[in-house]
Amino acid sequence: MRALSKATIYALRALIYVASKDNKDQQYVTIGEISEELNISFHFLTKTFQVLTQNGVLESHRGPHGGVLLKKPIDRIFLIDLVHILEGNDFFEKCLLGLPGCGEKEPCPVHNFWKNVKGSLEKEFEKTSLAHLIKGISTGKMRI
Amino acid sequence: MRALSKATIYALRALIYVASKDNKDQQYVTIGEISEELNISFHFLTKTFQVLTQNGVLESHRGPHGGVLLKKPIDRIFLIDLVHILEGNDFFEKCLLGLPGCGEKEPCPVHNFWKNVKGSLEKEFEKTSLAHLIKGISTGKMRI
DNA sequence: TTATATTAAGACAATTTTGTCCCAAAAATA
DNA sequence: TATTTTTGGGACAAAATTGTCTTAATATAA
Ligand code: SF4
Ligand code: SF4
């Protein structure tokens, strides 16, 4: 099951990279560095980072010593927001069978079943922040 | 979140259609009828149905009065098996970040989180059969 | 045995997603 | 001001997925 597009996966890995870099003086991190470290296409990552910048997740700065940095503390950046931005606000509304023009009123056979699954996933995303995600990295037991 | 490919979605809807048709004398149902009723491309559905036939979910028969029918009782056809056949056996092994060559030994930040989500989804698929999925159709309160 | 109905199979086209490339815009600095 | 470094943005290419079409194989029945 691929829950997320590659573009989103790249963005998440990149954000985890930035978040896990303890960067007290808040220096900008270049997309070049990130893409190189994580082996992600520079231009592809740049494009999806633009979306994050436009949506207030990242702050970007051009020119020498430029780059990107997180606009909020890592414990206030939640997976659910990232997913809404990157995959669309209807991410958790999409359904298993994807029938046209259906819903609560006239639900298909899997409607209630899927509603539960989605519900628990959504809760999980709501309570998971970048801070949670980078736990374990510092100990060296996890990697991106 | 699109959990399943369109090919799989079509197959599931088609199977639900066949299963919900109470067909005591076990007549073959033509793919033509199914594709027309559900507005699915005939040829596309035919191809994914071939996979189901090759994997013992459907029995097919060519020629006049031919078609397909379920090879097992509807309460013995489980979502998890269909998904394994249609999406690959690694469906529930795929991970959120999809890093190359990682796993339990050297897990990434989201590994444990995702493991739980996948686990509950898998259980849900294991216990859901076609029989469960067609409930509510007979009452006319649900549709495919 | 011929015509017909149906699935099987594979070639091909369209669309979407992913990835590459080029140049413009902005900022620092020399 | 000129040069360099960096993101921004768009055109284009490649790959994967989805959809269409044509022909073959098989079974039924007239
Ligand atoms: S009834 Fe619900 S689960 Fe079924 S296709 Fe519609 S939204 Fe999806
Ligand atoms: S460590 Fe686990 S969750 Fe992370 S990329 Fe690997 S398999 Fe996926």
Side-chain angles (χ1 to χ4, degrees):
Chain A
M1 172 179 46
R2 183 202 260 159
L4 305 168
S5 70
K6 285 201 179 187
T8 298
I9 289 172
Y10 293 153
L12 287 183
R13 288 175 57 204
L15 287 174
I16 290 168
Y17 175 84
V18 174
S20 67
K21 241 193 129 147
D22 73 334
N23 188 356
K24 289 186 180 178
D25 42 352
Q26 289 284 290
Q27 287 189 14
Y28 289 105
V29 183
T30 70
I31 300 177
E33 174 189 333
I34 303 168
S35 67
E36 213 167 302
E37 287 295 323
L38 303 184
N39 266 284
I40 298 171
S41 151
F42 170 80
H43 293 283
F44 199 60
L45 181 57
T46 291
K47 273 195 296 193
T48 96
F49 260 25
Q50 282 170 25
V51 176
L52 292 178
T53 301
Q54 287 157 2
N55 283 276
V57 174
L58 292 173
E59 181 185 323
S60 74
H61 197 78
R62 295 194 241 196
H65 306 298
V68 297
L69 49 78
L70 299 171
K71 219 167 176 181
K72 288 185 287 188
I74 59 176
D75 58 356
R76 279 200 236 148
I77 298 177
F78 293 92
L79 251 189
I80 189 146
D81 297 318
L82 299 174
V83 156
H84 279 154
I85 291 168
L86 295 166
E87 302 269 347
N89 276 312
D90 58 347
F91 184 77
F92 288 101
E93 283 156 33
K94 283 175 194 161
C95 67
L96 201 55
L97 294 196
L99 298 175
C102 67
E104 288 293 336
K105 314 147 218 164
E106 199 190 2
C108 84
V110 297
H111 185 82
N112 292 312
F113 155 68
W114 186 241
K115 203 169 149 187
N116 292 339
V117 173
K118 270 190 312 185
S120 47
L121 190 63
E122 191 169 12
K123 269 181 208 151
E124 200 75 55
F125 276 66
E126 268 164 7
K127 68 184 186 197
T128 306
S129 71
L130 277 186
H132 294 110
L133 293 180
I134 67 172
K135 271 187 191 163
I137 287 195
S138 46
T139 69
K141 294 206 175 169
M142 288 179 167
R143 56 164 209 174
I144 305 173
Chain B
M1 171 178 48
R2 183 202 259 161
L4 304 168
S5 69
K6 286 201 178 186
T8 297
I9 290 173
Y10 293 154
L12 288 183
R13 287 175 59 204
L15 288 174
I16 290 168
Y17 175 83
V18 174
S20 66
K21 240 193 128 146
D22 74 333
N23 188 355
K24 289 187 180 178
D25 42 351
Q26 289 284 289
Q27 287 188 12
Y28 288 105
V29 182
T30 70
I31 300 177
E33 173 188 334
I34 303 168
S35 68
E36 212 167 302
E37 287 295 323
L38 302 183
N39 265 285
I40 298 172
S41 150
F42 170 80
H43 293 284
F44 198 60
L45 181 57
T46 291
K47 273 196 296 192
T48 96
F49 260 25
Q50 283 170 26
V51 176
L52 293 178
T53 301
Q54 286 156 2
N55 283 275
V57 174
L58 292 172
E59 181 185 323
S60 75
H61 196 78
R62 294 194 240 195
H65 306 298
V68 298
L69 50 78
L70 298 171
K71 220 169 176 180
K72 286 184 288 190
I74 59 177
D75 58 355
R76 280 200 236 147
I77 298 177
F78 293 92
L79 251 189
I80 189 148
D81 298 317
L82 299 174
V83 156
H84 279 153
I85 290 168
L86 294 166
E87 301 270 347
N89 276 313
D90 58 346
F91 184 76
F92 288 101
E93 282 155 34
K94 282 175 193 161
C95 67
L96 202 54
L97 294 196
L99 297 176
C102 66
E104 289 294 337
K105 315 145 214 163
E106 197 189 4
C108 84
V110 297
H111 186 82
N112 293 312
F113 155 69
W114 187 240
K115 203 169 148 185
N116 293 338
V117 173
K118 269 190 312 184
S120 46
L121 190 62
E122 192 169 12
K123 269 181 208 151
E124 199 75 55
F125 276 66
E126 268 164 6
K127 68 183 185 197
T128 305
S129 70
L130 279 187
H132 293 110
L133 294 180
I134 68 172
K135 272 185 190 163
I137 287 196
S138 47
T139 68
K141 294 207 176 170
M142 288 181 167
R143 56 163 212 175
I144 303 172

